[in-house]
Amino acid sequence: MLRKRERFERSDVPRDTPYRNVIGGVVCVLVLAAVVAVVLFVWNRVKLESNLGDKDISDALSAQAAQATPEAAGYVASGDEFESVVLFTADGLDAVGPSLASARILTINRTQGTAALVTVPVDAKVDSETPATLAEAYASQGYAACVGHLSSATGVTFDHVVVATEDVLDEAAAIAGSGITDVVSQASELLSKIRTDMDAAELMSLAEALSAVGANLVSSEAVLVPEAVTDEAGNPVETGAQLIERSQLCVALGLLVSAA
């Protein structure tokens, strides 16, 4: 006698359930969220890395005219090895337009392990072709143009420039000890506030130097003197502009030392 064949459900065949579409939708949402997170992470990392190695600043540094250390009675040029950095603080990181809040020159004496930080008043005249002050030149010509202007006005040849939206020296020193490959991840907050010609290795070198200097950082303010021109009668006449006193600045930066 023929037996009726029994039917069995296969366990490897998906069953239709009322939640199948819901589960599929949730999976799609999670996958999409993961993709968006990855894209945002990569985009943010690229954006932060783009704040390093600024080409406009690099070009401006390369275009600096060679500066001879100013002369001053009783002083001679130091024979130590220095690294000179311009620190611009503005209300934005755009190349042209932001208002300049402060300008400082940092010199790190690699030989002595010391550093000097001199604030340059933003109302000092720096553009020899126009009566523009540093603040005016910064807003109208941009930070790259001000590299050459400030170099000529101070007699200092700069190695690096940092443009920031606030004082970041302490933050920069704090990243000392991080690996070069970890700079972007470890210092993302710092990088979001700056633009610089330096790459990750150079920024790390500066951080290490600042950390090592510690309390051996001397701060001061540049001295300004009235600009004077000669009139038709040969008499000096003040123009109303203020110039940076280059010799005193270089003494404060350690670039000039006592001849005694």
Side-chain angles (χ1 to χ4, degrees):
M1 178 181 292
L2 295 176
R3 297 179 61 185
K4 188 175 181 181
R5 182 177 296 177
E6 295 183 35
R7 294 190 167 210
F8 296 94
E9 294 288 339
R10 293 182 58 182
S11 60
D12 60 340
V13 176
R15 298 182 181 182
D16 288 331
T17 70
Y19 302 106
R20 184 173 182 178
N21 292 337
V22 175
I23 294 172
V26 171
V27 171
C28 289
V29 169
L30 291 176
V31 171
L32 181 60
V35 171
V36 170
V38 171
V39 170
L40 289 176
F41 172 79
V42 173
W43 178 84
N44 187 58
R45 187 178 182 89
V46 170
K47 184 174 182 295
L48 291 176
E49 289 181 344
S50 70
N51 288 357
L52 299 173
D54 186 285
K55 186 178 183 300
D56 291 338
I57 297 177
S58 296
D59 290 345
L61 289 169
S62 298
Q64 291 176 100
Q67 299 294 331
T69 304
E71 297 181 356
Y75 290 88
V76 295
S78 172
D80 292 344
E81 179 187 354
F82 290 89
E83 182 175 1
S84 300
V85 184
V86 178
L87 305 169
F88 290 130
T89 303
D91 62 2
L93 297 178
D94 292 339
V96 179
S99 297
L100 181 64
S102 72
R104 295 174 295 172
I105 301 173
L106 170 70
T107 54
I108 297 176
N109 188 322
R110 294 283 186 174
T111 305
Q112 303 292 334
T114 59
L117 183 66
V118 177
T119 300
V120 177
V122 297
D123 58 351
K125 177 182 174 180
V126 294
D127 188 349
S128 59
E129 297 180 359
T130 69
T133 65
L134 180 56
E136 292 167 342
Y138 192 97
S140 63
Q141 301 175 40
Y143 53 68
C146 286
V147 174
H149 291 327
L150 193 57
S151 178
S152 298
T154 59
V156 180
T157 302
F158 303 120
D159 299 302
H160 299 294
V161 175
V162 176
V163 180
T165 53
E166 60 184 67
D167 185 354
V168 294
L169 277 183
D170 289 340
E171 285 185 69
I175 68 172
S178 302
I180 293 175
T181 57
D182 296 329
V183 169
V184 175
S185 58
Q186 298 295 326
S188 59
E189 185 174 352
L190 169 64
L191 294 184
S192 68
K193 302 174 185 176
I194 70 172
R195 292 192 70 86
T196 180
D197 63 287
M198 289 182 278
D199 58 22
E202 291 169 326
L203 183 60
M204 182 58 59
S205 176
L206 178 64
E208 298 284 359
L210 286 171
S211 179
V213 166
N216 292 324
L217 174 66
V218 179
S219 299
S220 60
E221 185 165 336
V223 175
L224 299 185
V225 294
E227 180 186 46
V229 297
T230 304
D231 62 15
E232 295 179 355
N235 300 313
V237 178
E238 294 185 3
T239 66
Q242 297 286 309
L243 302 178
I244 300 166
E245 212 299 316
R246 296 160 44 125
S247 297
Q248 293 188 52
L249 172 69
C250 288
V251 170
L253 292 173
L255 303 176
L256 285 175
V257 295
S258 176

